[in-house]
Each structure stands twice: as structure tokens, then as C-alpha cells.
């Protein structure tokens, strides 16, 4: 989230799209209802189903699953055509005035950008997806927004195709419903109005998910809705600490704090830093990633302690580097779906899962089961029995035609402590890092994860100390300083994540002064040094544990401004800032666009209000001379046009899902994302087509009574929703002779599920490009183990392993199925 | 008298059930009544925690029997409720949060180390020491066999891709950090993922 849960109450318009917050984030949804009650805010819900959010919306539009980009692009076009954009905002706070290189093109007939090679089916040259540069290497801009190749003019041309008629044709909604939504949403282009976008997995689960969110961000920027109270692009996220896991390095390509993992090509710290430290694209841009050396060296000090010295590149050579794939010449990909693909190909021996259930929660359950059966050993630490730990049981293994005696995988199932039995912090989707206290000991012999991690690591270290082995250096060097090494105190770990000074740290402007004494906890990013004198596990969390103590434990409910900031409740990364990009909440002269909702005000030579996302002592006018409000980007301003970063283009183009009932009406030759990841490595990697009879679009979702695959163990939740079901539109049910409550089968090219039909008016058939398209939907939450009726209802048996080329998120939403009476 | 939330509730019960009963029975039944009507959470210890489900992060109060002294054994969770202090949930919870007690105290919880041997069709109970030793041995053997020292161009990588580690969506930041530190920075494991991508 750019903003936070409490800030939603400040919105004038709330757009719920790609998420169903009334159902899935019901307590957070209170702030939507508060905005409606107190500000007369309008709620617009756009979804394939008339869902619980739609039930309280002021306007609902049903669209076909997987067509959100067409809808958003239509909104962008509507804003541009009708002058409903915030001109001063986009001039100074976005790259609308930046001039794009000559040679950049979009082929409207083929649906591909310049640099596409049809024979290789790849973008072989992305050099035109960039800005024109001046002699000093800075991007050229035209503040009049008139240059034919400035981003603003290119946008007008690109989005002109997305007329209300085309949107209706693609999405299957009526033109009138679209126009009403467009009118409500774009009304917030006025400086004193704000709309917030709330999205979740309904947007991220597509083969074009990153561009989908890019489109939403572009619209919000055009409307001047980013960085303001009640605005932003807000990922609601699905799990208690998924944000924290992402922040703390639980991804193959990043270490904690979004620091890129070292790659084979970077054989020294110097080469690594040169490759990853951006150069400013505007004079005076803050370009905060210029401090990558401080972030990374301090992290290496946290990892390797005294073994990280200036002489050994601060332990850079102890850290693993991502190998290069000899076939593609690119760094290897070890993201989720690739892991199971590699596993299926026999490239992995062992696997350790802490509280994860990939048989259920990953796409394409059968491929996952078949992959697990190829492992030598599997370790699962869990609170309840899971399908993953029990994948070798006959009832699960029959999905891949195997029997227990065929499977040589050893399985270790370790009983783990749950949330109430451990302390430590969760980071919510609003970036609030909150401490929880331990209430009770785990049952029986169950143990907390920190003890399992520590004991495993220390036992492996012991083996290397005794026996030697391959490259034991990082194992022996690892800085395991905790008072109780086999069960580290999480307070100590949080202290390390925040970091401290190892020696006295002098002031950079005045070396006679000392900023920090040795042993002081860090309290600001720029106290970090790249010379080994500071240690910090995650630079982004600096401030969470200072000399004042554990700030994640703060519980003051004071809110003096009434804006819902609650600066003394927990700690909000970065720097306890509640609204990201908040310099954008004020005009170039430093006056809030909306004086009734000030986020930052320039008073007596400093910014007051929220913690400024800006140089604290920079006067307001600096924003017109290059010190832009997006301090992390080398441009200093937000990217409407995204130079070179994405795999599939600098602007968001609409592509159909990989499995779609219809061809893309804009460019049938490239109907779906031409660079989406599609596996062809195993016999399980199959896609269905309408010609083979897979002609119904299907989507999956959650129910408010259940949480993922956990509450199927909870007797109360199982009573509230006790059986898997499939939502079938009335018209389709009639056509197939299905009555409410009948057992039905849903079949995709990957497998089939069985459940009761819930015949409903909530999903209407749609007319798409002149023909009737049916959609059905089904909840996740069921599997093989747990209370109540299980078996037959594991939704991910149907989903494909097709991935977005940027995030590598699978396309769980919008795949093709057949429906039959069972 | 300082009026806390709990004493306010108790006061309400006493006022509601007081004087009339003295007259009806001829003696004061209030002590006996207090015994039967004491709040379930009256003798509990309150611990501030966070709901482990979605990412709104509602604060909850977990009520356990006893005072957390080391000699208190056999304690259990008797109630979980929303924390009225939290600016996020202000005491409210959803249908999942409100049933957290049944998630914590649940007879399906795993309480023993279990092992499934190659080709076997059943679990066997094992000890922690045995499991840690066995798993550490597997990790070391796999690492020694498969650690990639150089990539195909002869560049040093010291990367281990034959072992994968996933986890963390309901684990704390500290545990996530420990996983990345021990398994990636220490053992060199590259495939390290969590729920965020899926």
C-alpha cells in the first residue's frame, strides 16, 4: 500500500477492482464504509461477480475475468479525452514531459512494441524504450507537454484506441456502465478530490499482472491521486506477514530491503555496485538508490560480522551469486513455479517448507505433487497436517497415478508453534510493523520456527567443523551472535534487522562531530556507512528498533491531526512515514492541494505533518528544478512511461489471458501477452482451447468465513462454510440441465474438481465481441485434509502454470474449463 | 476508583443482579451468584497479539489461564477478542479472527515429530534430536554433492540450487530474516520463496 488502512477513510471515491475487500479484508473495509458515511464517498466495484463489495457499492460493473487492463486503459483514455487530468501535478510530479527516444513505436495492428522479433518471439532490442538524453546524460523534457514524442503526447495516441465502445466489446460490460464508472472515478482529477484504488490477487494473478497495476498507477497519477490523503494504489495483500516476508528477502532475486541478489556477472563488490547503482536522470534528483553501497555493505556486516572486512570486499565473496542459464544467457530463474518445474525435472534433492502448502496454494496441484515425488527428502514445519506433508498418501498420490511404494521421498514433519506461541513482528499491507507478544507455550513437542532454523543451521555448521566439506567458509563465518544461539530472541533479531553502529560514526559534513557512538542503534537511513562501521540487516526497517527501544511495540492511540496517521502506534516503514510520495500532496509552492486534508505543509523552513518523503530541509520550489518527489527513482518523478524495466513494454497493453474464450479484438495475431512465461517442460504443462471444448472462463476466490487452506481445520469455520461449491450462472445451468445443489464436474486441461452447483444471478452471461461468454467461479479453501467434507474440491488442480513475465505470478484467474453434471 | 473496562463490566453485573435477591431469599445470595456469574476472562492473563490471517493485522487480546509464572503448567487459551485500542480494528474482528481460540486450541494440531521413510505408507514418531541430526546430514550431503562453485563461464558463484526453502507468510519478520541469513547467506541456497508471488 502507498497509503494505509486508516487513510482509506479520507477518500472521496473508492475503486475496488481486482479484490473483494468486503469479503476478504472485512475489518479493513470498515474504513471504506467510514468514508461513505462521513465524506459521502462513492464506492465503485468492478469485478467478474456481483460480490459482497458490489452489494454495498454505489456503482457495480461486471467485466469478464482477465480484461481489467482494457477497462483501466479506457479510463485513462476518458481522462485524457475529456481534460480530466491534473495538469500541474503531471507536469512536475510525473515523467509526462519527458521526451522519448526516436525509434520508439507501438504497432497497433500487431500489438507489439519496437524491438520485437517475430521469428524469435522476443523483444531482442529494448533500447528505444528510453528517454532522449542531453550531453550530460540527463533526460530531455518539454514542460509545455507539446513535443510529439513527450510521454504525454505518446499516451494520448496509445490510449486513443480504448474508446468506451472498445472497452464494452472486450470486457463484456455495457458502454453506459463503463461511462458512469469513468465519470465517478475521473471526477477526482480536481486538486482537492482523491480516489483510492484497492486491489488484491484479482489483479496480481494474471499473465499481465504488472502492467495491470502499472495502468492503475498511471490513471492515479493522471488524476493527481498519488501521495495524497485518501489516494494511492493500494495492494491489500493476502497474508498476515506477506509484506514483511517480501521486505525481508524471501524471494530468490532480492535480499532483505529489496537489494538485488549478486549475480555471476558481478565478480567483485565494485562490479556489483556499478551494475546496480542508478545514475540520476535529472539534475538535483535525490536518486536514493545511490546509497546502495551503504545498504549492502551494512547488510554484509550483519551477515558475516567480523569476517566482513574491507580487505575481503566485506564478505561479498561469501554470499552466493545467481548463476547464469547457459541457454538464455540470463540469470537463472528460481521463482515459485520455476522451483517446481526444476524439481520435476529432477534438478533438486531437498526441500524445506515453513508453514507453506504448495500442493494446495501453488498453481497446478498435480504438477506440484509429481515434482515432490522426485525429491530425495522433504522437510515440513507445520501447525496442522497438510496435503504437502502428506502428498505420498494414496488419496493424494492417485492424482498423478502413483502409489506410496513408488515414492522414495523421505518426509520429516516437524510440529511448529503458531502465532500465539511466538513473539515477533508482522508487517501489514499498510507497512505497519507491529509487535505481538507470546501468549502461551506451543502444544506437545511443537517448537517455534526460530528454534528450528537455528538448530538446523548450527547442526550443519557442526558437521562442517567436524568433517570439512565444500566451501564451508560462509557457514563458519555467519554472524550467529545471539545470546541463546539455539533459540534466538526475536528482540535481538529485530535489533539486528534495524542495525547499530560498530564504531563511532562521524558526521559527514563535520568530522569533528559524532553522529552515533559505537553500539548505538541506527535511527535514520543516512547514518549508514559503506566503510564497515555500521551493521544493518535491512536498511528499510531502520527506525523500528532505536536507542528509544522497540518501536514496533508502541501503542499510543493519539492522532492529533485527525488524519488517521497514528505516528506513535507501531512503526511504519520507511522512516515511520504513513503516506508514500507525500511531497505530491502539496503544490509546487508547498501549499496542500486540499487544505482540509493536509499531509505535508511547509512551515518555518521545514515540512510538517506526516514524515516527509522528501529532503527534509528542501524548500518547496526545489521540486520544479529537479529534486522530484519520487526520491527512489533516478528521474525524481513517477514513471507513466516505464523505460526498459518491464519485459512486456513501456505502456500497459491489453492482452487476453493465455487461455481465453475469445481472440484479442485489437490484435488477434498477438492475442495474449507475447512474452508471458509458458512452461513446456513436463507432461503436465497443458493449455486448453475453446476448440477442444474448454470454452467457459473460470476464476477462483476466497470466502470471508475461511482463511486459505488453514481454517478447514477449525470446527467453527467449517460449520460456517462446510462444503466446496461452484458458482454457475442461471442461463448456463439451464443450458446444461443443472439444478441448484446438483453435483457437477469442472474440467480443465490440467485436471478436474467436483462440487455442488450454486446456481446464481451473481454472474451474468456476457456478450463479448458479439458472442455469449459464460463465466463460472469457485472458492479455494478445500483440499484433502481437515474437518468436514474434503476431497474433490481443490481448486488449484485446474489452474495453469502460466506466469507474468515480470513478477512470475501465475495466472490463477481467468482460465478455461468445461462444466458437466456429475 | 479507577474504572477499567473489566471492572466496569463486573460493576454492571453486580448492579443488575443485586438488592432484589436479598429480599426474595432472606439472605444475601450475591457471593454465590458471583461464583456462577464471574466472567470467563476474570482470572486470565491478557496478551497483546496480532491476527495471523489477512494483512489488515487486527490486534487481538489472547486470554490465558494463570499468570505466566514458570510454575504454572497446563495453562490454556480460554478466549480471544479484538483489541479495542488498535486504530485499525478498534476491537472488531471478522469471522476468522473471532474463532482464533479454536485455531490455537485444536485437537488436530501437530504435537510430535513424524517421519515417513522412502516407499513407506505410514508416519513414524521420532525425537527432535534425531530429526535435527538426520535433516542436517541430508542438507550437508546434498550441499557437498551439488554446490555450484563456478557457472558455465567459469565465474565463481558458490550457489546451491539443489535445495529449496519456502515459507514465511505467517512467520514473523525476524524468522524470515533468519531464514534468509542462515539458508542463503550461510548455506548459499538460491531458491528461497514465499507466498508473495503466488
Amino acid at each position: 500500500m502507498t497509503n494505509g488502512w486508516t487513510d482509506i477513510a479520507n477518500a472521496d471515491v473508492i475503486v475496488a477492482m481486482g479484490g473483494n475487500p468486503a469479503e476478504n479484508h472485512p475489518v479493513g473495509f470498515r474504513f471504506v464504509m467510514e468514508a461513505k458515511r462521513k465524506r459521502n464517498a462513492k464506492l465503485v466495484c468492478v469485478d467478474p461477480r456481483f460480490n459482497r463489495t458490489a452489494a454495498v457499492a454505489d456503482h457495480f460493473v461486471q467485466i469478464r475475468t482477465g480484461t481489467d487492463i482494457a477497462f483501466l486503459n479506457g479510463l485513462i483514455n476518458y481522462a485524457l479525452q475529456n481534460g480530466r487530468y491534473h495538469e500541474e501535478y503531471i507536469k512536475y510530479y510525473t515523467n509526462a514531459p519527458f521526451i522519448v527516444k526516436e525509434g520508439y513505436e507501438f504497432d497497433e495492428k500487431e500489438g507489439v512494441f519496437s524491438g520485437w522479433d517475430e521469428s524469435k518471439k522476443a523483444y531482442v532490442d529494448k533500447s528505444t524504450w528510453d528517454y532522449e538524453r542531453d550531453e550530460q546524460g540527463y533526460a530531455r523534457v518539454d514542460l509545455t507537454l507539446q513535443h510529439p514524442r513527450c510521454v504525454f503526447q505518446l499516451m494520448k495516441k496509445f490510449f486513443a484506441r480504448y474508446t468506451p465502445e472498445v472497452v464494452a466489446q472486450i470486457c463484456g460490460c455495457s458502454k453506459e456502465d463503463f461511462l458512469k464508472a469513468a465519470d465517478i472515478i475521473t471526477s477526482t482529477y480536481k486538486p482537492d478530490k482523491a480516489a483510492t484504488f484497492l486491489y488484491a490477487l484479482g489483479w496480481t494473478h494474471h499473465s499481465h499482472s504488472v502492467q495491470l497495476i502499472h495502468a492503475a498507477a498511471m490513471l492515479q497519477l493522471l488524476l493527481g491521486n498519488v501521495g495524497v490523503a485518501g489516494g494511492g494504489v493500494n495492494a491489500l495483500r493476502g497474508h498476515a506477514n506477506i509484506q514483511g516476508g517480501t521486505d525481508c528477502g524471501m524471494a530468490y532475486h532480492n535480499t532483505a530491503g529489496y537489494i538485488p541478489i549478486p549475480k555471476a556477472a558481478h565478480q567483485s563488490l565494485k562490479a556489483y555496485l556499478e551494475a546496480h547503482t542508478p545514475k540520476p536522470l535529472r539534475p538535483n534528483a535525490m536518486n536514493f538508490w545511490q546509497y546502495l553501497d551503504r545498504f549492502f555493505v551494512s547488510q554484509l556486516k550483519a551477515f558475516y560480522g567480523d569476517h566482513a572486512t574491507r580487505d575481503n570486499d566485506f564478505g561479498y565473496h561469501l554470499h552466493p551469486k545467481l548463476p547464469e542459464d547457459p541457454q538464455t544467457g540470463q540469470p537463472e530463474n528460481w521463482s515459485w513455479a520455476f522451483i517446481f518445474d526444476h524439481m520435476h525435472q529432477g534438478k533438486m534433492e531437498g526441500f524445506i517448507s515453513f508453514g507453506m502448502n504448495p500442493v494446495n496454494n501453488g498453481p497446478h496441484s498435480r504438477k506440484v505433487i509429481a515434482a515432490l515425488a522426485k525429491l530425495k527428502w522433504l522437510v515440513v514445519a507445520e501447525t496442522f497436517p497438510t496435503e504437502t506433508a502428506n502428498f505420498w498418501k494414496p488419496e493424494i498420490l492417485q492424482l498423478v497415478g502413483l502409489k506410496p511404494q513408488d515414492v522414495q521421498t523421505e518426509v520429516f514433519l516437524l510440529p511448529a508453534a503458531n502465532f500465539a506461541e511466538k513473539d515477533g513482528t508482522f508487517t501489514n499491507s499498510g507497512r505497519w510493523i507491529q509487535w505481538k507478544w507470546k501468549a502461551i507455550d506451543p502444544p506437545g513437542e511443537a517448537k517455534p520456527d526460530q528454534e528450528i532454523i537455528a538448530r538446523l543451521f548450527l547442526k550443519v555448521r557442526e558437521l562442517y567443523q567436524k568433517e570439512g566439506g565444500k566451501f564451508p567458509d560462509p557457514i563458519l563465518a555467519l554472524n550467529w551472535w545471539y545470546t541463546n544461539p539455539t533459540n534466538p530472541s526475536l528482540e535481538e533479531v529485530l535489533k539486528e534487522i534495524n542495525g547499530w553502529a560498530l564504531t563511532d560514526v562521524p558526521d559527514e559534513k563535520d568530522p569533528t562531530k559524532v553522529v552515533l557512538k559505537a553500539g548505538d542503534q541506527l535511527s535514520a537511513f543516512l547514518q549508514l556507512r559503506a566503510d564497515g562501521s555500521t551493521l544493518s540487516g535491512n536498511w528499510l526497517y531502520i527506525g523500528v528498533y532505536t536507542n528509544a527501544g522497540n518501536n514496533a511495540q508502541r501503542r499510543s492511540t493519539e492522532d492529533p491531526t485527525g488524519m488517521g496517521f497514528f505516528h506513535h502506534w507501531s512503526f511504519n516503514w520507511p522512516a515511520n512515514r504513513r503516506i508514500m510520495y507525500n511531497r505530491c500532496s502539496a503544490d509546487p509552492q508547498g501549499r496542500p492541494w486540499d487544505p482540509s486534508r493536509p499531509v505535508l505543509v511547509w512551515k518555518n523552513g521545514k515540512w510538517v505533518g506526516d514524515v516527509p518523503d522528501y529532503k527534509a530541509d528542501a524548500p518547496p520550489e526545489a521540486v520544479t528544478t529537479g529534486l522530484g518527489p519520487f526520491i527512489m527513482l533516478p528521474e525524481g518523478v513517477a514513471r507513466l512511461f516505464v523505460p526498459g524495466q518491464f519485459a512486456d513494454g513501456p505502456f500497459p497493453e491489453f492482452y487476453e489471458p493465455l487461455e481465453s474464450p475469445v481472440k484479442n479484438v485489437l490484435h488477434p495475431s498477438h492475442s495474449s501477452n507475447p512474452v508471458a512465461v509458458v512452461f513446456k517442460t513436463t507432461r503436465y504443462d497443458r493449455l486448453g482451447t475453446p476448440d477442444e471444448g474448454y470454452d467457459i472462463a473460470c476464476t477462483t476466490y476466497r470466502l470471508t468465513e475461511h482463511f486459505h487452506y488453514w481454517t478447514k481445520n477449525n470446527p467453527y469455520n467449517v460449520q460456517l462454510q462446510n462444503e466446496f461449491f461452484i458458482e454457475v450462472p442461471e442461463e448456463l445451468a439451464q443450458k446444461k440441465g443443472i439444478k441448484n445443489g446438483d453435483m457437477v464436474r469442472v474440467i480443465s486441461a490440467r485436471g478436474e474438481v467436483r462440487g455442488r452447483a450454486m446456481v446464481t444471478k451473481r454472474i451474468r452471461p456476457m456478450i463479448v465481441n458479439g458472442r455469449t461468454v459464460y463465466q463460472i467461479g469457485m472458492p479455494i479453501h478445500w483440499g484433502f485434509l481437515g474437518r468436514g467434507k474434503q476431497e474433490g474440491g481443490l481448486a488449484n488442480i485446474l489452474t495453469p502454470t502460466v506466469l507474468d513475465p515480470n513478477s512470475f505470478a501465475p495466472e490463477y484467474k481467468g482460465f478455461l474449463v468445461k462444466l458437466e453434471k456429475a | 476508583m479507577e474504572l477499567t473496562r473489566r471492572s466496569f463490566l463486573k460493576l454492571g453485573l453486580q448492579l443488575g443482579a443485586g438488592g432484589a435477591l436479598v429480599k426474595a431469599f432472606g439472605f444475601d445470595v450475591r457471593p454465590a451468584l458471583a461464583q456462577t456469574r464471574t466472567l470467563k476472562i476474570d482470572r486470565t492473563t491478557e496478551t497483546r497479539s496480532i491476527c495471523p490471517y489477512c494483512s489488515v493485522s487486527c490486534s487481538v487480546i489472547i486470554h490465558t489461564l494463570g499468570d505466566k509464572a514458570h510454575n504454572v503448567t497446563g495453562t490454556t487459551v480460554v478466549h480471544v477478542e479484538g483489541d479495542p485500542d488498535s486504530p485499525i480494528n478498534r476491537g472488531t474482528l471478522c469471522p476468522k479472527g473471532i474463532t482464533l481460540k479454536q485455531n490455537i486450541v485444536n485437537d488436530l494440531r501437530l504435537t510430535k515429530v513424524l517421519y515417513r521413510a522412502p516407499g513407506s505408507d505410514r508416519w513414524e514418531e521420532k525425537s527432535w534430536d534425531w530429526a535435527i541430526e538426520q535433516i542436517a546430514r541430508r542438507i550437508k550431503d546434498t550441499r557437498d554433492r551439488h554446490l555450484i562453485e563456478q557457472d558455465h563461464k567459469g565465474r565463481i558463484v558458490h550457489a546451491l540450487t539443489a535445495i529449496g526453502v519456502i515459507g514465511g507468510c505467517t512467520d514473523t519478520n525476524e524468522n524470515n530474516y533468519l531464514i534468509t541469513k542462515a539458508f542463503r547467506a550461510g548455506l548459499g541456497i538460491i531458491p528461497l520463496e514465499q507466498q508473495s508471488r503466488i
Side-chain angles (χ1 to χ4, degrees), chain A residues 626-741:
Chain A
L627 184 63
F630 287 77
I631 61 171
M632 300 307 292
L633 293 174
E635 293 94 327
V637 293
R639 292 168 169 172
L640 296 163
F641 175 96
V642 178
Q645 185 186 350
F646 296 148
D648 39 8
F651 283 141
E653 176 60 359
F654 165 68
Y655 298 110
E656 290 284 347
L658 260 287
E659 284 189 339
S660 175
V662 291
K663 282 275 180 202
N664 192 321
V665 298
L666 299 172
H667 30 73
S669 56
H670 293 104
S671 185
S672 55
N673 190 343
V675 290
V677 179
V678 182
F679 291 97
K680 291 175 183 149
T681 27
T682 76
R683 66 191 172 94
Y684 293 99
D685 298 307
R686 297 192 55 227
L687 294 178
T689 63
D691 295 343
E692 297 167 287
Y694 301 105
D695 58 356
I696 299 168
C698 184
T699 189
T700 62
Y701 42 82
R702 291 185 186 179
L703 303 170
T704 202
E705 295 83 1
H706 274 296
F707 188 79
H708 232 233
Y709 299 97
W710 312 356
T711 49
K712 63 186 167 76
N713 298 301
N714 188 317
Y716 285 19
N717 301 97
V718 166
Q719 282 176 52
L720 291 169
Q721 283 284 3
N722 67 346
E723 194 177 349
F724 174 66
F725 61 87
I726 294 144
E727 282 192 63
V728 182
E730 280 181 347
E731 295 79 356
L732 179 63
Q734 206 166 21
K735 207 173 125 186
K736 301 257 176 191
I738 295 165
K739 287 193 291 298
N740 195 32

Side-chain angles (χ1 to χ4, degrees), chain A residues 320-372:
Chain A
K321 287 161 198 68
L322 196 55
E324 188 176 287
D325 181 339
Q327 274 162 356
T328 62
Q330 297 295 316
E332 287 183 6
N333 191 325
W334 285 93
S335 62
W336 185 279
F338 279 88
I339 288 180
F340 290 97
D341 195 66
H342 291 311
M343 195 187 288
H344 194 279
Q345 293 181 54
K347 292 181 182 169
M348 299 179 83
E349 275 190 10
F351 199 61
I352 306 172
S353 169
F354 290 98
M356 293 290 277
N357 190 3
V359 167
N360 289 26
N361 66 8
H364 202 342
S365 304
R366 292 173 67 221
K367 183 174 174 180
V368 173
I369 296 164
L372 291 171

Side-chain angles (χ1 to χ4, degrees), chain A residues 2 28 762:
Chain A
T2 55
R762 299 199 296 212

